[in-house]
Amino acid sequence: MAKDVVAGAARQRRRRTRQGEVLSHELIVRTALRMLAEHGAQGLTARRLGLALGADPSALYRYFAGMDALVLAIADELTGRALAGWTSTGDWRQDLRTLGLRIHRAYLSHPQAAVLTASRVSGGPHVLTVDETVLSILHRAGFRDRDLARHYHVFIDSCLAFAALDAASLALPPAALAADERMWRTTYAALPSDTHPRIAETAPLLAARMTDSAYPDVLDTLIDRAAAELAAPATVPTGAGPVPMEKAPAGRRTRRGGLRPEPPGGPAHPEGGSA
Amino acid sequence: MAKDVVAGAARQRRRRTRQGEVLSHELIVRTALRMLAEHGAQGLTARRLGLALGADPSALYRYFAGMDALVLAIADELTGRALAGWTSTGDWRQDLRTLGLRIHRAYLSHPQAAVLTASRVSGGPHVLTVDETVLSILHRAGFRDRDLARHYHVFIDSCLAFAALDAASLALPPAALAADERMWRTTYAALPSDTHPRIAETAPLLAARMTDSAYPDVLDTLIDRAAAELAAPATVPTGAGPVPMEKAPAGRRTRRGGLRPEPPGGPAHPEGGSA
DNA sequence: CAGCTTATGCCAACGCCATTGACCTAAGAC
DNA sequence: GTCTTAGGTCAATGGCGTTGGCATAAGCTG
C-alpha cells in the first residue's frame, strides 16, 4: 500500500466499508474533530477513528499519509471555521479585535485539536486567507512596510500563542484541570506569608483570574499600542526589534538505528508548502 | 509496586543498577533533558530513558509516578534555571523585562522540553519562587490587588504562551524548519497579487521577520501599558476583563472499557503541589 | 558481626499504539 | 461481459507506558 498515499480530492471508486460507510476526506476530518471533542487529545487514534468511521484503521492511510497529515488537515479546517461568516466593519480596530477573538475561540472550541495544531504553519488555503485579511486590515488602517509586517507578526503570533496555551489547559483531562484550579485555592493560598508573602496575599485574586484567558486583555493592549503609533508615528517601541531565536543546541539523530522514520508528533509539514 | 510512588527527596537505600549507576531524581531529570535535546520530544520514552540511565525502565516508577510527573519535574527544573543568578536591579520595568526574557530563553534553550511543559503548571518549588518574585516586583512598582493580579496574569501567560509557540517551531526537525522558512520566501512571495495583494507585497518583509520571536516586542508593549496605568490610574484597558474559557464541549469517557488510566498527556499534577 | 526489614532494582507481561504488506473484491471503463 | 485497479480488509511488526511479582542488597538494630 501507500503507493499513491493520497489520491486527488475526487476519488474514483466510492466503495463501501464492511459496515456500509462511504469514506471521504471530509468525513474523516469531521469525525476526527468529533472524537477530539468527545475523548480528548489522546482519544484521537487511528484505531478509534477507524472504529468510529466503521472502517478498518488502515483504510485511513488511503486518505492521509499518516496521523500527522490528518492533523494538518484539521488545523486548516479550524482556521476556516474561524473566518466563516465574518465581514469587515470598516473599523480596523474592531475588525482586528473580532478576528483575533474569533481565531482564538475557534481553536478553543476544539482544544484537543488546537493543542496539536496551533503551532503548526500549514500553509493551507484557509490560513492564507486569514493572513491576507489581517494584512489588508492593517493596510487600510494606514500601516506600511516594516510597520505593517511588525504589527502583523505581533498580532498573529499572539493569537496563536495564546490559543495554544489556553487550549492546552482546556485539553487537560478534567481531573487534572480540577487539580489545577484547586491548586490556586489550596497550595498557593496556603503558602506561609513569611516565605511567599505576595503569593499568600494575592492567592484568592489569582485563583479567581488564572483560570481565564489573558488573551483579550493582551489583544486590546496591542491594538491600543498600534493605534497610538498611528497617532504619533515617532513612538517606536521601547526595546529593540524582534530577537532572533537560536537554533536547538544539539543535532538530531538521523533516522537510523531503531528510530521510527518520524514518530507521531512528527515530521511536520511533510508536504512542504504548496498554497 | 507503586505503593509509595515517590519517596522523599532523601532516599534511603542507594542501591546500584545492574550497570552500576546510582539513580536519583536529579540524575533522571538531567538525563531526560539531555535526551530531549538529542532525540527530540519523541525521543523521551521510558524505555530509552532507562537505557540511557543504565537501568530498567520500570525503575523510573520508583522516582516518578509516571512520565507525566517526570515532565512536570523537567518544567520546574527549566524554570529554576531561568532564575538562577538573577538579582533585582530595583527598577521594576527592567526587572520584569529581564525576567520575562530569561524565562523565555530558558525554555527555548530546550525547545523539545518546552513543548512538553510550557503549558503545564507544575506548582513546583522553582515555579513558586518565580511567581513570588514577579508578584513582588509588581508590588514594589505600586500595583495592588486586582491590578496586581491582572498584570501578573498577563505577564506570566504571555511569557509561557510565547515560550510554547516559539519552542514548537524550534523543536521542528531541521528539514521542516527549513521548509517553513522557505515558505515565506517562495509560497507566500509567489502568490498572485490579484488574489492576495497584501501578502504578495509584504512577503519579503514577512520572510525576514516571521522566523524571529515577537515576544520581546509584546513584552515591551505590556510593560509600557502597565507603566502608563501607574502614571494615570484612570486608564483601564479598552476591553472588558479576562474572558472565561468554556469547558470542552462534551464529557470525556470515564476510565473504563479500554482507556488507559490516563494516557501520556496525562493525569497532571499527581503529586499535588507542596512547595 | 548476624539477622531483619524493606527499599529499590529487574523481569515478564499486558494492552495499547501507528504503520505496513499481502490479499481480496467490487466499482467503473470499455 | 471482461478487465483493471482503487479502496477496502486482515494479520503482523515493533514500538509504547505501565504494573505485579520477585529477588536482593542497603542499612538498621543488637
Side-chain angles (χ1 to χ4, degrees):
Chain A
M1 72 149 32
K3 309 170 157 191
D4 42 13
V5 177
V6 184
R11 299 181 84 76
Q12 308 185 351
R13 306 185 183 179
R14 319 317 315 272
R15 194 166 164 178
R16 288 177 173 276
T17 71
R18 166 152 306 199
Q19 304 178 38
E21 306 295 332
V22 176
L23 301 182
S24 67
H25 281 86
E26 193 201 351
L27 176 64
I28 294 174
V29 168
R30 269 192 289 113
T31 305
L33 271 174
R34 189 163 48 77
M35 296 195 56
L36 282 169
E38 288 174 6
H39 305 313
Q42 287 80 30
L44 182 65
T45 72
R47 291 174 131 78
R48 279 211 272 247
L49 185 50
L51 199 66
L53 285 166
D56 189 272
S58 62
L60 301 174
Y61 293 83
R62 301 275 183 211
Y63 293 82
F64 298 95
M67 292 301 284
D68 191 71
L70 172 59
V71 160
L72 287 182
I74 292 173
D76 203 59
E77 169 68 18
L78 276 186
T79 307
R81 294 189 181 185
L83 205 56
W86 176 85
T87 51
S88 169
T89 65
D91 175 356
W92 70 269
R93 298 186 52 157
Q94 185 176 337
D95 283 356
L96 269 194
R97 182 162 208 277
T98 304
L99 267 189
L101 294 178
R102 262 175 172 259
I103 298 172
H104 186 253
R105 194 183 330 119
Y107 274 91
L108 289 204
S109 73
H110 290 274
Q112 334 288 354
V115 167
L116 296 178
T117 64
S119 48
R120 309 288 300 271
V121 181
S122 72
H126 290 126
V127 169
L128 286 182
T129 301
V130 166
D131 291 342
E132 177 68 20
T133 303
V134 171
L135 281 171
S136 91
I137 291 173
L138 287 168
H139 188 269
R140 236 182 327 107
F143 293 105
R144 295 292 184 278
D145 306 327
R146 286 188 62 252
D147 289 336
L148 178 57
R150 176 164 51 90
H151 288 294
Y152 165 81
H153 185 201
V154 163
F155 174 86
I156 205 69
D157 276 14
S158 301
C159 186
L160 293 178
F162 274 95
L165 186 79
D166 295 334
S169 65
L170 281 187
L172 288 176
L177 186 60
D180 244 34
E181 290 171 354
R182 213 178 321 118
M183 192 165 62
W184 289 105
R185 288 193 302 278
T186 58
T187 304
Y188 275 64
L191 285 177
S193 65
D194 52 341
T195 63
H196 298 80
R198 296 304 160 227
I199 293 181
E201 75 189 14
T202 321
L205 289 170
L206 294 179
R209 174 174 269 275
M210 294 307 289
T211 50
D212 292 341
S213 171
Y215 177 61
D217 201 355
V218 170
L219 175 59
D220 287 331
T221 303
L222 295 175
I223 293 177
D224 282 348
R225 195 268 301 251
E229 280 183 34
L230 272 188
T235 306
V236 275
T238 301
V243 163
M245 297 190 287
E246 278 144 32
K247 281 217 47 166
R252 289 170 56 86
R253 200 206 297 185
T254 46
R255 56 198 55 177
R256 292 193 149 274
L259 264 190
R260 270 184 295 173
E262 205 50 84
H269 324 283
E271 24 198 27
S274 74
Chain B
M1 71 151 30
K3 310 169 155 191
D4 41 13
V5 176
V6 184
R11 296 183 87 75
Q12 308 184 349
R13 307 185 181 179
R14 320 317 314 274
R15 195 165 165 176
R16 288 177 172 277
T17 73
R18 167 152 305 196
Q19 302 178 40
E21 307 294 332
V22 175
L23 301 182
S24 68
H25 280 88
E26 194 202 349
L27 176 64
I28 294 174
V29 169
R30 270 193 288 112
T31 305
L33 269 175
R34 188 162 49 76
M35 295 193 59
L36 282 170
E38 288 173 6
H39 306 313
Q42 288 80 28
L44 182 66
T45 71
R47 290 174 135 81
R48 277 212 275 248
L49 185 51
L51 199 67
L53 284 165
D56 189 272
S58 63
L60 300 175
Y61 292 83
R62 301 281 182 201
Y63 293 83
F64 298 94
M67 291 302 286
D68 190 72
L70 172 58
V71 162
L72 290 182
I74 292 173
D76 200 61
E77 168 69 18
L78 279 184
T79 308
R81 293 187 182 186
L83 205 56
W86 176 83
T87 52
S88 168
T89 66
D91 175 357
W92 71 270
R93 300 186 51 158
Q94 186 177 336
D95 283 356
L96 270 194
R97 182 163 208 275
T98 305
L99 268 188
L101 294 179
R102 263 174 171 260
I103 298 172
H104 187 253
R105 194 184 327 124
Y107 274 91
L108 289 205
S109 73
H110 289 274
Q112 333 285 355
V115 167
L116 294 179
T117 65
S119 48
R120 306 296 301 273
V121 181
S122 73
H126 289 126
V127 168
L128 287 182
T129 301
V130 166
D131 291 341
E132 177 68 20
T133 303
V134 171
L135 282 171
S136 90
I137 291 173
L138 287 168
H139 188 271
R140 234 180 330 106
F143 294 106
R144 295 291 183 279
D145 305 327
R146 284 188 64 253
D147 289 335
L148 177 59
R150 176 165 50 91
H151 287 296
Y152 164 80
H153 186 199
V154 164
F155 174 85
I156 205 69
D157 275 14
S158 301
C159 187
L160 292 177
F162 275 94
L165 186 79
D166 295 335
S169 65
L170 280 188
L172 290 176
L177 185 60
D180 245 34
E181 290 170 356
R182 213 179 320 116
M183 193 164 64
W184 288 106
R185 287 193 302 277
T186 58
T187 304
Y188 276 64
L191 286 177
S193 64
D194 51 343
T195 63
H196 298 79
R198 297 303 161 226
I199 292 180
E201 73 190 14
T202 322
L205 289 170
L206 293 179
R209 174 174 269 276
M210 293 307 288
T211 50
D212 291 341
S213 171
Y215 178 61
D217 202 354
V218 170
L219 175 59
D220 286 331
T221 303
L222 295 175
I223 294 178
D224 282 349
R225 195 269 299 251
E229 281 184 33
L230 271 188
T235 308
V236 274
T238 301
V243 164
M245 298 189 287
E246 278 143 33
K247 280 216 48 167
R252 290 167 56 84
R253 199 205 304 184
T254 47
R255 57 198 55 177
R256 293 195 148 272
L259 262 192
R260 271 184 294 172
E262 207 48 84
H269 326 283
E271 27 195 25
S274 73

